[in-house]
């Protein structure tokens, strides 16, 4: 929050990436011929990346102007465009086979190099999230170190490990070196919605089932890391769950606490049919699920919806980070002020300030006093956000404005 009249807004969920051919200079030269052959026949599957607005992903000046006009002065930058050798955007692409790994890993490293340069075009205003693959943990650790040194402050994007992916589940201790380096470097592990679903096909029913299930598959990272003991072994580890809703969190934590208590108690009793399920769990986990959430976890609550806001105390006011999801159609731009009003009108000023910027600044290491100076010109007025939204903008496409939004997702 800045001065007496404006909020400092940090979007904890934005997306960017290079245009397809612009990745080539960031690839190691030994992959250039293979890249030329791949790019010559590649057909982009996403209409929004072919439209005249696609350059919002890589045009730094346009992007800054769009976000400032929307009241946003800083952003956490997740990937969006197609990296080299991928069939689709990395968030949605299936885990690579052994044969695909080398080229796709080179493609993600090229994206990370491009992203470091992109963030450097707006110093202090972009926290870039580095991409890794889970096929080679040692290589992932090296890349996390390299990208932090290169200026990417958004931490690491944890890929999903859906059933059939061919990589170990996220609770596996094989990933311990990744948790260790993120704790050491004090960068968050981010898990973004849509990145953990198994392939379902293209039938109408499959697409509907994907919409229903995709957030649940993303939520799995939470209980995998909790029950896997990652936070006991690495108490400084930070996990951020982004663009997968927030209203589900209190109920899921209650469920996880229930199973934790039930299994630990069963393991302490004489041999029963259930005791084997809790064997060793107390020792491997340490704290219970709600304690882990309190100490280690955050939510990138993109375009937080009105029905989620009354749960903010149960989620944790210091956990919630609002996001615009720029430049996606489901994002709030250019109606982010209206999105903030529909969610936060009438709330105490300090609570709003934390959720729209203060928490994200703390988690991702933004210099809040510096951002305050920008917000003094571009931030939304406190009085404006305090005023209930009388009418939904007719051209708004974000679920933030969806009617009938009382459904709690998972």
């Amino acid at each position: 929050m800045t001065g007496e009249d404006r909020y400092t807004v940090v979007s904890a969920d934005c997306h960017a990436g290079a245009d397809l051919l612009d990745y080539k200079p960031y690839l190691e030269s030994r992959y250039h011929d293979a890249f030329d052959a791949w790019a010559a026949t590649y057909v982009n599957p996403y209409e929004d990346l072919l439209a005249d607005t696609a350059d919002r992903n890589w045009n730094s000046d346009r992007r800054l102007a769009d976000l400032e006009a929307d009241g946003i002065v800083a952003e956490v930058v997740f990937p969006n465009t197609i990296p080299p050798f991928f069939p689709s955007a990395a968030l949605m692409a299936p885990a690579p086979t052994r044969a695909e790994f080398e080229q796709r890993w080179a493609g993600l490293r090229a994206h990370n190099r491009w992203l470091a340069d992109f963030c450097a075009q707006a110093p202090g205003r972009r926290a870039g999230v580095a991409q890794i693959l889970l096929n080679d943990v040692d290589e992932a650790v090296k890349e996390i170190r390299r990208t932090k040194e290169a200026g990417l402050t958004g931490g690491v994007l944890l890929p999903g490990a859906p059933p059939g992916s061919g990589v170990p589940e996220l609770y596996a201790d094989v990933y311990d070196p990744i948790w260790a380096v993120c704790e050491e470097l004090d960068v968050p592990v981010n898990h973004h919605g849509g990145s953990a679903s198994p392939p379902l096909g293209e039938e109408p029913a499959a697409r509907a089932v994907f919409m229903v299930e995709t957030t649940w598959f993303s939520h799995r990272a939470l209980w995998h890391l909790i029950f896997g003991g990652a936070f006991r072994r690495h108490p400084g580890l930070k996990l951020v769950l982004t663009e997968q809703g927030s209203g589900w969190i209190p109920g899921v934590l209650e469920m996880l606490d229930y199973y934790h208590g039930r299994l630990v108690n069963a393991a302490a009793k004489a041999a029963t049919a259930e005791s084997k399920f809790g064997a060793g769990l107390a020792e491997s986990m340490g704290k219970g699920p709600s304690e882990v959430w309190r100490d280690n976890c955050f939510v990138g609550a993109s375009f937080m919806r009105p029905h989620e806001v009354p749960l903010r105390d149960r989620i944790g006011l210091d956990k919630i980070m609002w996001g615009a999801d720029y430049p996606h159609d489901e994002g709030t731009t250019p109606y982010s002020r209206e999105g903030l009003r529909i969610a936060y009108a009438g709330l105490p000023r300090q609570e709003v300030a934390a959720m729209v910027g203060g928490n994200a600044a703390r988690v991702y290491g933004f210099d809040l006093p510096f951002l305050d100076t920008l917000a003094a010109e571009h931030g939304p007025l406190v009085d404006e956000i305090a005023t209930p939204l009388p009418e939904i903008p007719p051209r708004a496409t974000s679920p933030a404005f969806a009617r009938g939004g009382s459904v709690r997702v998972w």
Side-chain angles (χ1 to χ4, degrees):
M1 187 167 52
T2 177
E4 293 296 321
D5 56 357
R6 294 183 186 268
Y7 287 117
T8 298
V9 181
V10 178
S11 172
D13 180 28
C14 288
H15 296 262
D19 199 3
L20 190 70
L21 297 181
D22 290 340
Y23 275 125
K24 184 175 178 178
Y26 293 94
L27 269 174
E28 296 156 74
S29 58
R30 61 194 173 107
Y31 294 104
H32 283 187
D33 289 345
F35 175 81
D36 290 341
W38 170 78
T41 59
Y42 186 76
V43 177
N44 194 313
Y46 299 115
E47 291 182 5
D48 64 312
L49 295 181
L50 300 172
D52 59 3
T53 55
D55 74 326
R56 293 182 297 177
N57 286 282
W58 56 80
N59 184 329
S60 183
D61 290 340
R62 177 176 185 173
R63 190 180 184 98
L64 286 172
D66 284 353
L67 292 176
E68 288 174 355
D70 219 23
I72 298 165
V73 296
E75 56 175 330
V76 179
V77 187
F78 289 91
N80 197 45
T81 62
I82 314 298
F85 308 116
F86 275 71
S88 60
L91 270 178
M92 304 298 295
T97 64
R98 186 176 299 274
E100 295 166 332
F101 170 74
E102 181 183 349
Q103 285 191 339
R104 290 201 192 174
W105 182 228
L108 288 194
R109 294 200 308 271
H111 170 81
N112 292 342
R113 295 184 189 105
W114 173 88
L115 183 59
D117 280 355
F118 184 70
C119 290
Q121 293 180 56
R125 302 182 67 175
R126 293 176 179 148
V129 179
Q131 295 191 81
I132 60 169
L133 289 170
L134 298 177
N135 302 62
D136 188 322
V137 170
D138 291 340
E139 283 297 311
V141 169
K142 292 177 185 176
E143 184 67 1
I144 294 167
R145 290 192 181 280
R146 189 196 68 76
T147 53
K148 176 64 184 294
E149 292 173 1
L152 295 186
T153 58
V156 60
L157 178 60
L158 178 65
S165 68
V167 297
E169 296 279 7
L170 293 178
Y171 55 70
D173 60 9
V174 68
Y175 301 127
D176 239 37
I178 293 176
W179 318 144
V181 71
C182 289
E183 179 186 36
E184 175 195 338
L185 299 178
D186 191 29
V187 296
V189 172
N190 304 275
H191 194 57
H192 194 283
S195 64
S197 299
L200 294 171
E202 290 298 324
E203 297 180 34
R207 294 194 292 271
V209 168
F210 172 84
M211 289 297 293
V212 172
E213 293 183 345
T214 186
T215 53
W216 182 85
F217 276 104
S218 297
H219 300 344
R220 293 173 78 229
L222 176 63
W223 50 83
H224 277 235
L225 268 66
I226 287 177
F227 286 125
F231 300 101
R232 180 190 64 79
R233 296 186 299 276
H234 308 286
L237 184 66
K238 293 183 289 191
L239 174 66
V240 181
L241 303 173
T242 298
E243 201 179 337
Q244 42 189 287
S246 60
W248 59 276
I249 292 168
V252 165
L253 289 176
E254 289 176 2
M255 177 190 71
L256 298 180
D257 284 340
Y258 164 75
Y259 279 110
H260 172 256
R262 173 177 163 182
L263 294 173
V264 168
N265 289 335
K269 297 177 180 177
T272 65
E274 196 168 88
S275 63
K276 61 182 178 181
F277 287 97
L281 189 63
E283 294 80 9
S284 66
M285 278 183 59
K287 296 178 293 189
S290 285
E291 294 175 283
V292 170
W293 178 265
R294 179 196 67 202
D295 294 340
N296 301 89
C297 303
F298 304 86
V299 57
S302 309
F303 40 78
M304 197 172 187
R305 286 157 286 187
H307 70 278
E308 297 172 306
V309 175
L311 298 170
R312 63 192 183 280
D313 289 324
R314 295 175 62 195
I315 296 168
L317 272 166
D318 60 336
K319 305 293 181 185
I320 297 168
M321 301 181 291
W322 179 88
D325 199 26
Y326 177 93
H328 289 167
D329 287 343
E330 64 267 29
T332 53
T333 306
Y335 304 108
S336 291
R337 288 179 173 83
E338 290 82 356
L340 292 170
R341 288 173 66 185
I342 201 170
Y344 299 137
L347 297 189
R349 181 172 174 169
Q350 293 297 328
E351 292 187 8
V352 177
M355 292 187 286
V356 304
N359 293 336
R362 185 179 74 256
V363 172
Y364 290 101
F366 286 104
D367 182 346
L368 197 54
F370 165 67
L371 296 183
D372 286 346
T373 64
L374 300 171
E377 179 179 357
H378 304 292
L381 293 168
V382 170
D383 289 345
E384 176 188 8
I385 303 305
T387 305
L389 187 67
E391 183 180 357
I392 293 173
R395 299 182 65 183
T397 55
S398 172
F401 303 106
R403 297 194 181 277
S406 61
V407 176
R408 287 181 60 184
V409 180
W410 293 104

